[in-house]
Amino acid sequence: MSDSVPFTGDPADTHEAIMHGTFFALKEYGYAELSIQRISNELNLSKSTLYHHFSGKEDLLLSFFDFLLDYLEQFYESGSINEPQKAISDIIDALLNENITPKKRSAKGEVLAMYVELRSQAIRDAKYRERIAKADQRFIRQIAAIINTGIDQGVFQAVEPEETAEFLLAVLHGILIQGTTRESVPYQQLHQNLTEYLQAELFVE
Amino acid sequence: MSDSVPFTGDPADTHEAIMHGTFFALKEYGYAELSIQRISNELNLSKSTLYHHFSGKEDLLLSFFDFLLDYLEQFYESGSINEPQKAISDIIDALLNENITPKKRSAKGEVLAMYVELRSQAIRDAKYRERIAKADQRFIRQIAAIINTGIDQGVFQAVEPEETAEFLLAVLHGILIQGTTRESVPYQQLHQNLTEYLQAELFVE
């Protein structure tokens, strides 16, 4: 994935400018305290300009969630499928090498933290769930394709690819939620535990 | 754990009554849309009574989070430490046998969903992080004690107990976040994958 700090480049259009401003306003205030006023302050745009593009806070944040999910795809599109073991390890490293702990969060770690925060909206909101179902499916298909290649090459064990991909996604989500919600988490150790799991259950030794 | 529906019994005092009312108001509105007015409507209490006990919504919800974390301890205190394999399996079953998917959520599944929702507040709020650090530590100590017993009895492999407990917590969190935020999740399969992980990496065959 790109090494640039997310959402700081020149926006292509007003929609993208609003998405960038929403990122920084959300970082400052969090979901519950965010308002159209605060986003318009962040952007030096009038509230009426924002209301021209979005019907309100919920509509705007749902668009922002789409924008965030598209960005996150970079984290797992980098690997070359022809080197399946490296491809899986690269995806895990891309996700887990960012610092996501509250006080030392990197810029990309902030994107991951925001993803966890907005994903939890789906507990009560079907519109978020629709998007999450598609995003999880994209991740699972990408990982399952790599696993299939690894099985064909004889370097992976004969697991069920989609099932293993779903479980890997759960482990990653669990590490992300622990890492974003405590000051101190043994993050390297969890990363290592996940690697050991893959060595035992997926990779052919 | 108790089979009763949570937060429906006679409250011991006004504080507990407010906690019960908060549960049902949160279930209906979610964190961002909750207000002191809505909780007071739920309880048929005046707003001034609520303000006598709490300085505002944030203070009340932080107390409710404490209340929820205490309730959740029941999920992992049930196991008998002298049968370590059964103790670990019982804790996992207690957490993963509840239906937590959005449209078919059980009453206890609702408690778990609310836990995930409120935990995500910790991404930006240090007061939630303090509570989560303590709650995670209690869970990890309890599991690590069971693992230590299993190692002493020769029925568990010689893993590092706290490290394995932290990783198990991450897997459980990941399954919970996937299960609460999609309409359809292969929940039994994820539960089975976790059992297979324990059979391979923890239990002596």
Side-chain angles (χ1 to χ4, degrees), chain A residues 65-124:
Chain A
F65 193 52
D66 288 333
F67 187 75
L68 203 64
L69 291 172
D70 285 344
Y71 181 84
L72 283 173
E73 283 201 39
Q74 294 176 63
F75 281 88
Y76 59 86
E77 279 186 337
S78 50
S80 160
I81 199 164
N82 291 318
E83 294 179 87
Q85 188 166 332
K86 183 174 183 304
I88 296 276
S89 298
D90 282 353
I91 289 167
I92 291 170
D93 289 350
L95 282 162
L96 299 187
N97 281 352
E98 292 300 324
N99 197 327
I100 58 170
T101 54
K103 287 180 181 162
K104 297 171 186 167
R105 215 168 266 164
S106 69
K108 285 174 195 159
E110 185 61 53
V111 177
L112 291 167
M114 222 167 258
Y115 161 70
V116 176
E117 182 178 14
L118 289 178
R119 184 171 178 128
S120 80
Q121 293 303 313
I123 292 171
R124 315 211 170 275

Side-chain angles (χ1 to χ4, degrees), chain A residues 64-195:
Chain A
F64 179 72
F65 193 52
D66 288 333
F67 187 75
L68 203 64
L69 291 172
D70 285 344
Y71 181 84
L72 283 173
E73 283 201 39
Q74 294 176 63
F75 281 88
Y76 59 86
E77 279 186 337
S78 50
S80 160
I81 199 164
N82 291 318
E83 294 179 87
Q85 188 166 332
K86 183 174 183 304
I88 296 276
S89 298
D90 282 353
I91 289 167
I92 291 170
D93 289 350
L95 282 162
L96 299 187
N97 281 352
E98 292 300 324
N99 197 327
I100 58 170
T101 54
K103 287 180 181 162
K104 297 171 186 167
R105 215 168 266 164
S106 69
K108 285 174 195 159
E110 185 61 53
V111 177
L112 291 167
M114 222 167 258
Y115 161 70
V116 176
E117 182 178 14
L118 289 178
R119 184 171 178 128
S120 80
Q121 293 303 313
I123 292 171
R124 315 211 170 275
D125 189 330
K127 294 197 191 80
Y128 279 84
R129 288 200 288 277
E130 281 171 29
R131 283 151 172 89
I132 283 169
K134 285 179 193 159
D136 279 11
Q137 200 52 49
R138 282 198 296 271
F139 178 89
I140 288 165
R141 281 195 192 133
Q142 171 79 2
I143 300 290
I146 297 169
I147 293 175
N148 262 317
T149 305
I151 295 169
D152 287 347
Q153 291 185 1
V155 296
F156 285 0
Q157 301 172 40
V159 299
E160 205 293 299
E162 296 231 337
E163 190 176 308
T164 303
E166 176 90 50
F167 188 69
L168 175 60
L169 182 60
V171 180
L172 289 167
H173 274 138
I175 296 176
L176 288 178
I177 198 171
Q178 264 156 241
T180 51
T181 57
R182 297 209 322 253
E183 303 291 353
S184 169
V185 170
Y187 208 62
Q188 292 303 319
Q189 173 196 297
L190 285 164
H191 190 163
Q192 179 61 27
N193 291 142
L194 174 53
T195 302

Side-chain angles (χ1 to χ4, degrees), chain A residues 20-76:
Chain A
H20 290 192
T22 303
F23 175 79
F24 290 101
L26 193 55
K27 183 178 169 182
E28 187 167 351
Y29 300 108
Y31 182 92
E33 301 298 323
L34 199 67
S35 63
I36 291 286
Q37 181 66 60
R38 283 175 163 166
I39 298 168
S40 70
N41 290 349
E42 182 68 42
L43 287 159
N44 281 321
L45 281 177
S46 69
K47 280 169 71 175
S48 65
T49 304
L50 288 179
Y51 281 116
H52 179 73
H53 288 265
F54 300 100
S55 64
K57 172 185 164 181
E58 283 181 26
D59 181 33
L60 194 162
L61 278 168
L62 210 52
S63 276
F64 179 72
F65 193 52
D66 288 333
F67 187 75
L68 203 64
L69 291 172
D70 285 344
Y71 181 84
L72 283 173
E73 283 201 39
Q74 294 176 63
F75 281 88
Y76 59 86

